Amino acid sequence: MRKVPKRVMIVSLDAVGAEDLPFLETLPHFRRFFERAALCGRVNSVYPSLTYPAHTSILTGRMPKNHGVVNNIRLQPGRERPDWIFRRADVKSPVLYEEAKKKGMTTAGILWPVIGRSGMDYYVPEIMVTRKWQNQILMNALNGPVGYQLDLNRRFGHLRSGIAQPQLDNFAMASALYTMEKYRPDFFLLHLTDADTNRHEYGVRHRKATEALRRHDERLGQLLEALARTGSMEETTVVVLGDHYQKDVDKQACVNHALWKEGLLRIEKGRLKGWQAWAQNCDGSSYVYLHPTLRDDKRLRERVRAVAEGLAEREDFGIARIFSGEQAAALGADPACFLMLEAKDGWMFSDGWEQPVLPAWRDAADGTHAACGTHATCGTHATHGYLPDRDGYRTFFSAAGCGIRPGRVDKKIALWDEGATLAALLELDLGRTDGQVIGEMLL
């Protein structure tokens, strides 16, 4: 009879990919973990390969089009800083932590995306503050357990400095270790973004990214030590995974500039006052939406397609491929989009309309990086959002401990297969998933 773990810890290393595995295997804690783990280095992310859709697929076993989180941010044309999608109510399907809680497991999560107002026992939701009147502590308090979060901020708030790294992960780690010691959760989600931030700011292979991977090795060692202190490792499964990888970029393509020139955006005094079509960037890809009242307008559809095809023909513009809405949906993206655009190597997309092309990251009104908030002078940057099967762009999935068969799994899988596999491991019911159980990983 198969043994079901009584405790599971899932650690997500944002923007750590299969390309990192050879280096990670030289580091002491990753090396020891991988030696006894089931490991797959051929993992496709979601499309678009963004953090919030990816993490939701891991917890639901579904493609973005079926769990509802199809972007990091909401479709809010013209807003300089659109609202992020961060609440449980935004997920339209069952999730692992709720099914675990139904089974009597104590649940916890630190900075895992889209768990705001989730009802987990102990958690800190990841929330990006986008309005001038919003306060980070208040926003978190409104979307998670107040007493628990205030306790963590009182103890460890001095470790963080907004979303700067490695301070944010230092706070997350201190909070995780404290939670493990005091509350001993049975189902624990931890999201670490050190590598993602440094790759955004400096590039995929910059020494700052390498330093972040070394810090992740130290963090993994601390987590495994704490798990050994706080429960039986024979009844514990540890999962370490990535959500997507990144690619270096130095140019931004501004599709909305072409839509404005075509008369499909109405701009007054530098502000968007109306739109018939809108390009919503996903960094390495871009949705193109038609206004909800005009989706069946045949002439508009022809005009927008002609704009996109004209841009794609230009060598000095960053469109590599154009997908119809139906093709995008088949890849798991938002079925409500009219088109989906994929960027060329070295390119990403921007929502801006003032110029057709910009240097990487200069998409904020004050000319600052979208990711790090500093002026764009530091050269190469990296981002994600691309088709998940592009060369050198895959991520990884590993698990060790109770119920896991160690060894390399040499097959292509997707993030939603991870969700289905975790549900099977814990004997939880996620309903009808898009994912298939990775049977090679389970005893």
Side-chain angles (χ1 to χ4, degrees):
M1 185 175 179
R2 191 171 67 79
K3 202 171 181 184
V4 178
K6 293 185 178 179
R7 184 173 61 159
V8 172
M9 180 159 204
I10 304 173
V11 183
S12 168
L13 305 178
D14 203 299
V16 177
E19 297 285 304
D20 295 315
L21 289 176
F23 176 66
L24 294 180
E25 289 173 327
T26 70
L27 303 176
H29 301 296
F30 278 111
R31 183 179 66 249
R32 284 195 290 271
F33 181 78
F34 290 149
E35 283 173 352
R36 58 188 182 86
L39 172 63
C40 181
R42 299 178 61 194
V43 181
N44 279 356
S45 187
V46 296
Y47 194 50
S49 48
L50 298 173
T51 299
Y52 284 34
H55 282 81
T56 308
S57 285
I58 292 166
L59 292 189
T60 63
R62 286 170 168 79
M63 295 178 172
K65 67 175 181 181
N66 292 327
H67 60 57
V69 181
V70 296
N71 201 336
N72 283 345
I73 57 176
R74 301 187 186 281
L75 178 62
Q76 296 171 330
R79 178 164 287 167
E80 183 182 333
R81 299 181 67 196
D83 295 323
W84 285 59
I85 300 168
F86 62 85
R87 290 187 178 133
R88 165 63 181 96
D90 295 309
V91 183
K92 309 304 181 187
S93 58
V95 290
L96 282 171
Y97 55 79
E98 283 185 349
E99 299 308 308
K101 194 168 182 179
K102 288 177 186 176
K103 195 177 177 180
M105 301 177 80
T106 305
T107 56
I110 303 292
L111 298 179
W112 192 278
V114 204
I115 61 169
R117 299 187 183 179
S118 64
M120 298 175 75
D121 296 298
Y122 309 101
Y123 67 102
V124 180
E126 181 175 289
I127 298 176
M128 300 294 285
V129 173
T130 58
R131 310 295 181 93
K132 292 178 181 177
W133 61 86
Q134 290 176 337
N135 172 278
Q136 186 72 61
I137 293 176
L138 179 59
M139 283 294 291
N140 276 77
L142 291 171
N143 290 280
V146 177
Y148 170 71
Q149 293 187 86
L150 288 177
D151 184 33
L152 294 183
N153 275 302
R154 179 177 62 84
R155 293 173 183 274
F156 311 119
H158 64 282
L159 297 175
R160 70 188 296 179
S161 177
I163 60 173
Q165 290 288 11
Q167 295 94 323
L168 182 60
D169 276 9
N170 292 343
F171 168 80
M173 278 297 301
S175 299
L177 296 172
Y178 174 75
T179 300
M180 293 161 73
E181 295 281 358
K182 183 170 183 179
Y183 300 107
R184 307 201 173 194
D186 305 311
F187 185 91
F188 198 175
L189 302 169
L190 175 62
H191 179 218
L192 300 173
T193 62
D194 197 348
D196 182 70
T197 297
N198 279 286
R199 283 179 160 150
H200 275 309
E201 294 189 30
Y202 300 105
V204 172
R205 292 174 179 83
H206 193 276
R207 63 175 178 81
K208 294 275 191 180
T210 302
E211 291 167 3
L213 296 177
R214 291 187 186 277
R215 288 191 290 269
H216 280 335
D217 184 67
E218 295 171 6
R219 292 166 182 142
L220 177 60
Q222 292 173 335
L223 292 169
L224 294 173
E225 231 177 77
L227 285 168
R229 283 197 309 272
T230 56
S232 167
M233 293 303 286
E234 291 184 358
E235 298 177 321
T236 300
T237 305
V238 181
V239 177
V240 181
L241 55 85
D243 61 338
H244 54 68
Y245 200 44
Q246 291 203 19
K247 296 176 74 69
D248 288 333
V249 296
D250 58 13
K251 295 178 289 294
Q252 292 187 90
C254 305
V255 178
N256 283 323
H257 177 81
L259 295 177
W260 169 58
K261 297 289 280 187
E262 179 67 17
L264 300 174
L265 302 180
R266 182 163 57 88
I267 311 296
E268 296 178 6
K269 296 180 180 179
R271 289 189 168 275
L272 181 70
K273 294 297 183 180
W275 62 283
Q276 297 177 61
W278 177 258
Q280 176 68 63
N281 94 83
C282 304
D283 293 338
S285 58
S286 179
Y287 287 118
V288 178
Y289 291 98
L290 304 183
H291 193 280
T293 63
L294 300 171
R295 286 177 183 165
D296 296 325
D297 187 322
K298 183 178 179 181
R299 184 169 176 273
L300 175 62
R301 295 169 74 90
E302 291 172 350
R303 288 174 68 194
V304 173
R305 184 177 292 280
V307 169
E309 290 175 348
L311 292 174
E313 290 172 0
R314 289 172 46 179
E315 292 185 5
D316 63 342
F317 203 81
I319 297 177
R321 297 178 69 179
I322 300 174
F323 298 105
S324 68
E326 293 78 12
Q327 290 171 325
L331 293 167
D334 187 358
C337 75
F338 174 57
L339 300 174
M340 190 80 171
L341 312 177
E342 177 73 7
K344 295 176 180 176
D345 285 343
W347 288 78
M348 61 181 287
F349 291 101
S350 167
D351 293 346
W353 58 74
E354 294 88 350
Q355 301 177 58
V357 175
L358 291 169
W361 298 119
R362 295 180 68 91
D363 59 348
D366 61 355
T368 60
H369 289 240
C372 66
T374 60
H375 284 277
T377 58
C378 57
T380 302
H381 310 278
T383 197
H384 44 94
Y386 302 94
L387 277 168
D389 62 354
R390 287 177 71 154
D391 289 344
Y393 190 62
R394 290 189 171 93
T395 187
F396 78 100
F397 178 66
S398 64
C402 184
I404 300 296
R405 179 184 289 110
R408 299 289 171 133
V409 176
D410 187 22
K411 64 185 287 188
K412 187 169 73 173
I413 65 171
L415 294 189
W416 45 85
D417 296 321
E418 298 174 4
T421 302
L422 292 168
L425 173 72
L426 285 163
E427 295 185 345
L428 302 178
D429 184 9
L430 287 178
R432 186 175 179 179
T433 66
D434 298 309
Q436 301 296 316
V437 175
I438 311 164
E440 298 92 327
M441 287 191 164
L442 303 181
L443 290 173

